[in-house]
Amino acid sequence: MPKTPADLFAYLDDLGIQVTTVSHPPLYTVADSQALRGDIPGAHTKNLFLKDKKDNYFLVTIEEDAQVDLKQIHHMIGAASRVSFGKPEALMALLGVAPGAVTAFGLINDDKGAVRFVVDSDLVRQETINAHPLTNEATTSVRSEDLLAFVRATGHEPAILKVSS
């Protein structure tokens, strides 16, 4: 059973990580987010759940306005081949979230370490990062270094790479 937002907040609290969360109508795209989220300060994320031909999975987190070259990113992230978007069933099985709610916080559900986490180096330079807390009906703000601490606490070593163009 995937973790709930309440489970996530308890986990973050146990780690001593302070967050601020704002509830809002469901947001499915970056455009939805920009139109409906209001004034939530900090960098907002876009998340790509990718897989290569050998069924290696990657979660790539970048700033919402950043662009990535999906034909070339496999070279940067260490994929075995070109990548495609992972299927919704794999997303739910590995990260416990549905399309539209993809988030770095989903790593709390990947207890087998099946997903490699890649975060854009431009994003981690920001003081505050905003991400969905396992649901697209809220946005959680966390300090950049605390997000990386969370990722490490889940057993994932973040790959901090320049993947945006």
Side-chain angles (χ1 to χ4, degrees):
M1 202 59 192
K3 303 266 191 295
T4 66
D7 296 330
L8 171 67
F9 296 136
Y11 188 80
L12 292 166
D13 189 55
D14 287 347
L15 293 173
I17 295 175
Q18 295 181 350
V19 300
T20 303
T21 300
V22 175
S23 295
H24 48 64
L27 306 175
Y28 296 98
T29 65
V30 169
D32 289 348
S33 175
Q34 291 170 333
L36 296 176
R37 72 170 169 246
D39 295 320
I40 301 172
H44 293 266
T45 57
K46 175 168 41 178
N47 298 277
L48 308 173
F49 180 64
L50 306 172
K51 72 175 268 318
D52 66 17
K53 288 184 180 176
K54 293 193 174 190
D55 289 332
N56 296 307
Y57 288 90
F58 304 84
L59 176 60
V60 178
T61 299
I62 60 177
E63 284 191 72
E64 66 182 355
D65 292 326
Q67 300 294 317
V68 296
D69 183 348
L70 288 175
K71 293 180 181 175
Q72 296 299 318
I73 195 172
H74 64 286
H75 296 296
M76 295 176 251
I77 65 174
S81 64
R82 282 195 173 179
V83 295
S84 60
F85 289 101
K87 295 190 183 307
E89 300 79 25
L91 177 61
M92 180 57 75
L94 296 171
L95 297 179
V97 295
V102 183
T103 175
F105 290 126
L107 294 171
I108 194 173
N109 288 306
D110 181 27
D111 57 0
K112 293 183 176 51
V115 178
R116 180 166 185 220
F117 179 65
V118 178
V119 61
D120 191 62
S121 58
D122 289 347
L123 179 62
V124 295
R125 286 191 201 104
Q126 303 300 315
E127 184 177 332
T128 302
I129 296 176
N130 296 291
H132 290 312
L134 307 177
T135 175
N136 63 354
E137 296 178 343
T139 297
T140 295
S141 304
V142 63
R143 291 178 356 168
S144 179
E145 59 267 20
D146 286 342
L147 179 64
L148 296 178
F150 160 80
V151 168
R152 289 183 179 105
T154 67
H156 298 81
E157 184 55 38
I160 301 171
L161 304 171
K162 175 68 174 156
V163 293
S164 64
S165 52

